[in-house]
Amino acid sequence: MPPAETAAQRGEVVRVRLRVRGVVQGVGFRPFVYGLAVERGLAGFVGNDADGVFAELEGAAAAVESALVALREGPPPLAVVEAVEVEGVAPRGGGGFAIVESPSAATRRTLVSPDTATCGACLAELFDPGDRRYRYPFLNCTNCGPRYSIVTDVPYDRPNTTMAGFDLCAACAAEYHDPADRRFHAQPTCCPACGPRLRLSAPGGQAQPGAGDDAVVAEAAARLVRGEVLAIKGIGGYHLAVLAADEAAVAALRARKHREERPFALMAADLDAARALGEVDDTAAALLAGPRRPIVLLARRPDAPVAPSVAPGSRELGVMLPYTPLHHLLAEALPGPFVLTSGNRSDEPIAYRDDEAAERLAPIADGLLTHDRPIHMRVDDAVTRAWRGGELLVRRARGYAPQPVPLSPAAPRHVLACGAELKHTFCLARDRHAFVSPHIGDLENYETLRSFTEGVGHLSRLFDVDPVVVAHDLHPEYLSTKHAVDLEGVALTGGQHHHAHIASCLADAGEAGPVLGVAYDGLGLGTDGTIWGGELLAADLTGFERVGHLATVALPGGEAAIREPWRMAAAWAEAAYDGAPPPLAVAERHAERWGAVTALARRGVQAPATSSVGRLFDAVAALAGVRDVITYEGQAAIELEQAADPGGRGAYPLPLLDGPPLRLDGGALVRAVVDDLTRGASVGEVAARFHDGLAAGTVAACVALRERTGLSTVALSGGVFQNLRLLGAVVDGLAEQGFGVLVHERVPANDGGISLGQAAVAAARDRAGMLG
């Protein structure tokens, strides 16, 4: 019997109803569907609503089928299609295809696109003297420009953005309403006749009147060339800028911003300029020039044309390419790369409101290059690095957020995960979507707390999340924890910090476990009341068992030991040599306080026990003379990694002490470090052998634990695994031993990914009936 003919083969007229979910608003999806329909002679309509895009297509069955294939396989560049639901309905007859108005709705399930770098078509217009937007600092289209930072509500239509106050001129309105135009329903669309304008304020805060945009850019560039510090309003907030080659200007910015040594980010005009600063492979080039435009950490070229104070002592430079028309214009006008660092004082969130910028940045900047398009939500720059053909995020922000991370299993009830303290983010979970906030900062003051609470409110409204389950860290003094416990009418669930790290890696990879989780970081409160940070966990999303850890030592002086790594050298020397260490150079450098600190460590007074691998890095950095006192979080570990000899051979021992739980004997490793230094080994050799010894010991511990647990997949998380030498050695060692290895891809391994892990744990526990 021959197969039945399809509707297409019979030439029938059909009508289908579509629902498209994902990032499909503000990315040109409606004109894309319109074009598909018109090209194929289909009737029907397409529109936005709070669930995404809806459409009906009617016509010859073969044409409808062709349109559906094209819709699935070739959506607009910025679209992220998560689902296309198709339902057959009765044909209605009639002709023509229309884009219809967006209805209001009680529920909101659409997704909002991140802010996106200027596209090639807009860039061509920017530098085309014959174009009406020639050198206009705010041009954009459906394929680029501000999105998340200007959205006040959904659906994503112009009245629900900060462009609502700018009425379209006749020319822009014609483009906006023309389905065949690149700016059809591009909500931020504008031109010099109807859009935002630049202004350059003097140090006293008064705008300089009468200048056109091009003149303002020229004057701003001239002031930077003269050595001034300018605050520049971008997409998601203000930056502080100086010429990268001007040592006096860079040093002045450091002094005013109270940022002693942490490297500054740089903006380079193009890929060629970036290559003059650092090593750019194909992956790094794709990251630098892609639509997200993060800061990419590059291996520094010895002859990079930057002042010494840009990144003192660092082998890396953080480089980004222009991502707004204003950036492109400035880069063209300046003689070389320029510093573009977050517009804030140290330890505060980036300034984004004009009034607060004028107040907070007045002591730092000599002038403000600003404009009259409001920013609704602050978004800092993302930071990433290329690694083995992929990327490892360091800070997830502009260009990435608020695009959701898929959540599996789905959250039965809405979740708010409040995150940790350092590198803070929060996460909202609804169904199969986890909305990780952009990077907020260290949650240690009122300004950052306000940014956190405002962000929770905005994302909750935007994505129709009403949290019923609230997850938080176990540490009672974190502001995020205090915020959680103050909420009423919710189911609270406290989660251990390092379990959240491993759960974050699982959620990032779309896995549920169980796995062996290796969580190495600075610190996190353990379930036994001690400070954890070198953990081996047998874990899934609902729970964990601590099956191993770095042997504990004292943290003499508590937080003081974090700021002063020499204290950890004292603690580890005391432990490694049973209270009788040999003469040490670091002890001589701190002779006045060494005895008092070792006494704290021996007595356990103001010296909680810690298993932190991050603090072990600090100890070795101080023993090797790399860093005794830090000026920013993680500095000693970063500098120890950069000091390691790339060709160094050998590995210090890290024996396993039987448990349970299994313990890694850091004392043996420290003794080997001291012995090598006594024999005159170089800092580069010592740093390399330390890294390779820690990696080998970690792999050996996983092999031993596989025998006990039967688990053959390892998840690596925690800020220490941002160390590329350690990460690579551990990944390779585990693979050689036959393990499957999970590493982070969508969120950072550091505490910026903690909120995703908390949300995944809360959702899994809720689904398992473990929450009230």
Side-chain angles (χ1 to χ4, degrees):
M1 182 175 179
E5 285 187 308
T6 65
Q9 291 170 330
R10 294 192 298 269
E12 294 181 3
V13 172
V14 299
R15 188 179 185 94
V16 295
R17 180 174 295 152
L18 303 179
R19 163 63 62 190
V20 187
R21 303 184 192 278
V23 182
V24 292
Q25 292 191 14
V27 295
F29 212 92
R30 289 178 298 172
F32 166 67
V33 174
Y34 178 93
L36 294 179
V38 171
E39 288 170 7
R40 292 162 175 79
L42 302 178
F45 57 84
V46 63
N48 281 343
D49 64 11
D51 282 338
V53 167
F54 61 90
E56 292 192 12
L57 305 176
E58 181 174 331
V64 171
E65 184 176 322
S66 168
L68 293 177
V69 170
L71 186 146
R72 289 187 173 99
E73 295 182 354
L78 300 185
V80 179
V81 176
E82 294 189 344
V84 180
E85 301 164 9
V86 182
E87 174 190 4
V89 294
R92 298 181 184 175
F97 195 88
I99 296 176
V100 299
E101 293 295 320
S102 303
S104 59
T107 59
R108 305 147 182 255
R109 295 186 178 274
T110 192
L111 304 179
V112 175
S113 170
D115 302 292
T116 306
T118 307
C119 69
C122 283
L123 194 58
E125 292 175 344
L126 183 67
F127 292 109
D128 178 2
D131 193 275
R132 69 188 188 90
R133 292 185 176 88
Y134 175 57
R135 304 187 68 80
Y136 180 54
F138 304 97
L139 88 169
N140 63 85
C141 71
T142 303
N143 297 323
C144 69
R147 294 293 188 276
Y148 170 72
S149 61
I150 65 169
V151 173
T152 59
D153 206 347
V154 292
Y156 176 66
D157 288 326
R158 194 175 180 100
N160 291 331
T161 73
T162 61
M163 289 297 294
F166 295 90
D167 293 332
L168 292 169
C169 67
C172 285
E175 294 169 334
Y176 182 88
H177 292 292
D178 180 0
D181 194 277
R182 196 175 87 250
R183 291 187 169 88
F184 175 73
H185 278 229
Q187 308 308 337
T189 197
C190 56
C191 74
C194 64
R197 303 308 298 258
L198 286 177
R199 62 180 183 273
L200 185 61
S201 299
Q206 295 299 314
Q208 296 178 357
D213 289 333
D214 213 25
V216 170
V217 171
E219 175 59 20
R223 291 177 66 169
L224 288 170
V225 170
R226 290 199 299 267
E228 295 189 22
V229 177
L230 289 188
I232 300 175
K233 186 177 180 181
I235 280 185
Y238 279 79
H239 291 94
L240 293 163
V242 293
L243 276 188
D246 188 334
E247 172 61 21
V250 177
L253 175 57
R254 281 207 177 278
R256 297 178 195 177
K257 190 174 162 72
H258 303 295
R259 182 165 169 163
E260 297 175 55
E261 294 173 297
R262 186 192 293 269
F264 284 138
L266 300 171
M267 180 164 280
D270 51 32
L271 278 175
D272 286 340
R275 291 188 176 101
L277 297 168
E279 301 298 327
V280 180
D281 62 14
D282 290 346
T283 304
L287 292 169
L288 282 165
R292 287 172 161 165
R293 295 290 166 101
I295 297 167
V296 181
L297 300 178
L298 305 175
R300 181 177 186 162
R301 290 180 59 90
D303 57 348
V306 299
S309 292
V310 166
S314 177
R315 290 185 180 179
E316 291 184 321
L317 291 175
V319 180
M320 58 182 154
L321 299 190
Y323 57 87
T324 72
L326 176 58
H327 292 150
H328 283 283
L329 294 170
L330 278 171
E332 181 203 40
L334 291 171
F338 52 103
V339 168
L340 204 65
T341 188
S342 300
N344 54 11
R345 293 185 292 253
S346 288
D347 303 323
E348 290 183 352
I350 185 171
Y352 74 107
R353 294 190 179 102
D354 296 337
D355 55 350
E356 71 167 352
E359 177 184 351
R360 288 169 52 194
L361 303 182
I364 306 174
D366 298 309
L368 277 75
L369 178 57
T370 186
H371 56 76
D372 54 351
R373 182 182 68 207
I375 298 170
H376 187 65
M377 291 302 297
R378 63 164 60 92
V379 196
D380 215 330
D381 295 314
V383 182
T384 193
R385 53 167 35 111
W387 188 71
R388 298 190 175 184
E391 72 172 312
L392 294 175
L393 276 167
V394 177
R395 186 167 78 192
R396 188 175 188 269
R398 176 190 49 76
Y400 296 81
Q403 188 169 318
V405 176
L407 190 63
S408 180
R413 296 184 287 177
H414 293 186
V415 177
L416 164 63
C418 294
E421 182 176 63
L422 301 181
K423 300 175 176 63
H424 181 263
T425 64
F426 65 87
C427 180
L428 294 166
R430 185 198 68 202
D431 302 327
R432 294 189 176 276
H433 289 141
F435 302 98
V436 181
S437 75
H439 166 83
I440 293 172
D442 293 346
L443 199 60
E444 297 178 324
N445 54 52
Y446 170 75
E447 287 295 332
T448 317
L449 178 63
R450 187 180 72 173
S451 180
F452 162 49
T453 56
E454 288 177 351
V456 170
H458 179 61
L459 281 185
S460 296
R461 289 189 300 273
L462 207 59
F463 299 124
D464 198 30
V465 178
D466 184 12
V468 178
V469 176
V470 176
H472 61 84
D473 193 272
L474 292 182
H475 201 302
E477 294 304 313
Y478 285 177
L479 293 180
S480 56
T481 302
K482 292 182 177 182
H483 174 81
V485 300
D486 284 344
L487 297 175
E488 297 180 353
V490 297
L492 287 175
T493 176
Q496 201 282 320
H497 187 90
H498 300 93
H499 180 220
H501 266 308
I502 300 306
S504 175
C505 189
L506 286 171
D508 193 328
E511 301 285 345
V515 295
L516 278 175
V518 182
Y520 288 171
D521 67 357
L523 59 87
L525 184 62
T527 54
D528 60 358
T530 64
I531 306 300
W532 292 6
E535 308 310 309
L536 294 101
L537 310 178
D540 59 17
L541 291 178
T542 58
F544 72 96
E545 178 187 358
R546 191 190 195 198
V547 293
H549 61 83
L550 181 68
T552 58
V553 296
L555 189 71
E559 290 190 6
I562 299 172
R563 297 188 298 270
E564 300 178 349
W566 70 266
R567 290 173 177 259
M568 290 310 304
W572 269 108
E574 188 74 12
Y577 290 97
D578 294 324
L584 301 170
V586 64
E588 294 178 12
R589 294 194 299 271
H590 300 278
E592 291 184 2
R593 292 191 289 165
W594 187 268
V597 168
T598 55
L600 286 179
R602 281 194 302 272
R603 297 197 303 267
V605 176
Q606 293 182 309
T610 182
S611 58
S612 168
V613 169
R615 302 287 80 81
L616 177 61
F617 266 87
D618 287 352
V620 174
L623 287 167
V626 171
R627 173 65 57 176
D628 286 359
V629 178
I630 65 169
T631 61
Y632 61 89
E633 194 262 334
Q635 183 179 11
I638 291 169
E639 293 180 353
L640 187 65
E641 177 190 6
Q642 295 187 354
D645 181 352
R649 294 183 178 180
Y652 295 137
L654 184 59
L656 304 181
L657 304 175
D658 209 1
L662 189 75
R663 287 170 296 138
L664 285 74
D665 183 9
L669 189 152
V670 167
R671 290 192 295 272
V673 167
V674 172
D675 289 347
D676 239 5
L677 289 169
T678 302
R679 286 193 294 266
S682 70
V683 171
E685 291 172 317
V686 170
R689 292 166 186 166
F690 166 73
H691 279 81
D692 295 346
L694 178 58
T698 300
V699 172
C702 290
V703 170
L705 291 170
R706 178 170 56 186
E707 297 298 317
R708 301 181 188 183
T709 65
L711 298 173
S712 59
T713 299
V714 178
L716 305 177
S717 191
V720 169
F721 282 114
Q722 291 181 151
N723 180 314
L724 297 189
R725 184 179 184 117
L726 180 67
L727 177 65
V730 172
V731 168
D732 291 344
L734 289 170
E736 289 172 4
Q737 294 295 327
F739 285 95
V741 186
L742 304 178
V743 298
H744 285 269
E745 295 180 359
R746 293 184 175 94
V747 298
N750 61 35
D751 282 8
I754 282 280
S755 64
L756 173 63
Q758 291 174 338
V761 169
R765 288 177 174 173
D766 199 22
R767 181 166 292 278
M770 299 168 66
L771 305 180

